[in-house]
Amino acid sequence: MFDLPLVTILLLTGFINLIGALAYAARIAGVRTRRIAMSFALFNILVLFSRTSNSFLGPFLAKRIETRIHDGSGASLFVDMQFVLAAASVATLVGILLVPTGQRMFAAAIGWYQDNRSTTKLALKAASPSGLRTLRRSLRLPSLGHLRGWHMPQGIGWGVLIANCLAQSLLAVGVVASLYAGYLAPEYRVTASQLSALINGFATILLFAFIDPQLSVMTDDAVEGQVGEADFRRAIALISLSRLAGTILAQALLLPAASLIALVAVHV
């Protein structure tokens, strides 16, 4: 039977994670065009879209859990939540594959905005026939050629990649785990739903205090020529892959995170 609520949740989850993965393309476009401030503005627009969409995801998931509890089919909720996290992984992978296309689209958008200086006109331009033609011309698949003679890029180490993987896994699982904890402790499910910060707070600090500064410094080094463009693209690829690994790890963390949140909800 077609499950429209679940499909809606999966599509929304996919959109959020697709946008998040494509946002890395804005940094590559900024290095190529030497318009770092403008590329960061586009990056922030994507993050805004992603976070706004994420605010709608919580109520959909909460409704799913309430419905399952009321009709006595709560045992299948764990599978539903795993589907949600799997959708995040699939969308992230698609976003990684579309980074070369996104990079060219961002470069075109930066050039167009430099002449017109209007976000509204830029959005209308993207939806116009000429914008669609630009999209068609920009379509590219990732090239494996830059992996020849592969080495770890300067400025990005295994510590950054592992930290990013952990942060992304916690961000992916935070809201889902807090809502699933409401099923594990139904009498405290309102409290549990408010405890996603227990998971997301640590991930946000890790991401914005330790990982983003490393990537920003490397972006500046690439613009100044201290890091080659190929090395910078390779670093973005590794960061993107660590994000993908994080969404996969989130599936393993779902039950432990939900159990922790349920325990805190009961004893807070």
Side-chain angles (χ1 to χ4, degrees):
M1 184 181 294
F2 184 72
D3 192 338
L4 181 59
L6 181 58
V7 170
T8 302
I9 290 170
L10 296 181
L11 289 176
L12 189 55
T13 301
F15 174 77
I16 292 167
N17 287 274
L18 177 64
I19 294 298
L22 276 176
Y24 291 118
R27 292 182 180 268
I28 301 176
V31 169
R32 301 198 84 173
T33 61
R34 298 299 189 263
R35 302 286 185 182
I36 297 299
M38 183 60 211
S39 71
F40 278 14
L42 290 176
F43 175 85
N44 288 333
I45 290 173
L46 285 181
V47 171
L48 176 63
F49 267 101
S50 177
R51 290 181 179 172
T52 302
S53 300
N54 202 34
S55 67
F56 291 103
L57 181 60
F60 277 109
L61 286 171
K63 176 69 174 187
R64 182 76 178 183
I65 291 172
E66 295 283 355
T67 302
R68 290 293 198 190
I69 291 175
H70 290 155
D71 64 17
S73 59
S76 62
L77 269 174
F78 184 76
V79 175
D80 290 348
M81 299 300 104
Q82 290 286 5
F83 272 128
V84 171
L85 294 175
S89 297
V90 171
T92 300
L93 177 59
V94 172
I96 291 171
L97 295 176
L98 290 177
V99 163
T101 299
Q103 161 198 327
R104 288 167 174 79
M105 287 294 296
F106 281 129
I110 289 170
W112 192 91
Y113 190 89
Q114 201 65 32
D115 296 329
N116 295 273
R117 311 292 176 97
S118 171
T119 305
T120 304
K121 289 181 179 178
L122 177 60
L124 294 174
K125 175 74 173 177
S128 70
S130 62
L132 295 177
R133 285 195 296 271
T134 301
L135 172 61
R136 188 174 63 251
R137 290 194 299 268
S138 300
L139 288 173
R140 294 290 188 282
L141 289 175
S143 171
L144 298 178
H146 67 277
L147 293 179
R148 298 191 185 104
W150 185 90
H151 62 277
M152 183 66 74
Q154 178 184 349
I156 295 291
W158 286 110
V160 172
L161 297 178
I162 292 171
N164 187 59
C165 175
L166 179 60
Q168 297 295 346
S169 68
L170 294 178
L171 286 173
V173 82
V175 173
V176 178
S178 67
L179 292 172
Y180 184 63
Y183 166 70
L184 298 179
E187 65 277 19
Y188 296 101
R189 60 180 178 267
V190 175
T191 303
S193 69
Q194 301 302 311
L195 287 172
S196 61
L198 186 67
I199 306 294
N200 287 350
F202 174 72
T204 301
I205 293 172
L206 190 62
L207 192 63
F208 289 103
F210 298 102
I211 299 166
D212 274 5
Q214 291 279 347
L215 195 52
S216 296
V217 168
M218 190 170 188
T219 303
D220 288 340
D221 288 344
V223 171
E224 295 171 2
Q226 298 178 26
V227 172
E229 190 174 314
D231 269 355
F232 182 72
R233 288 199 306 271
R234 193 176 293 116
I236 293 295
L238 290 173
I239 288 288
S240 300
L241 289 173
S242 71
R243 179 190 180 99
L244 174 61
T247 63
I248 295 172
L249 177 61
Q251 296 191 32
L253 295 178
L254 173 58
L255 188 56
S259 299
L260 174 62
I261 291 174
L263 182 66
V264 172
V266 171
H267 295 94
V268 70

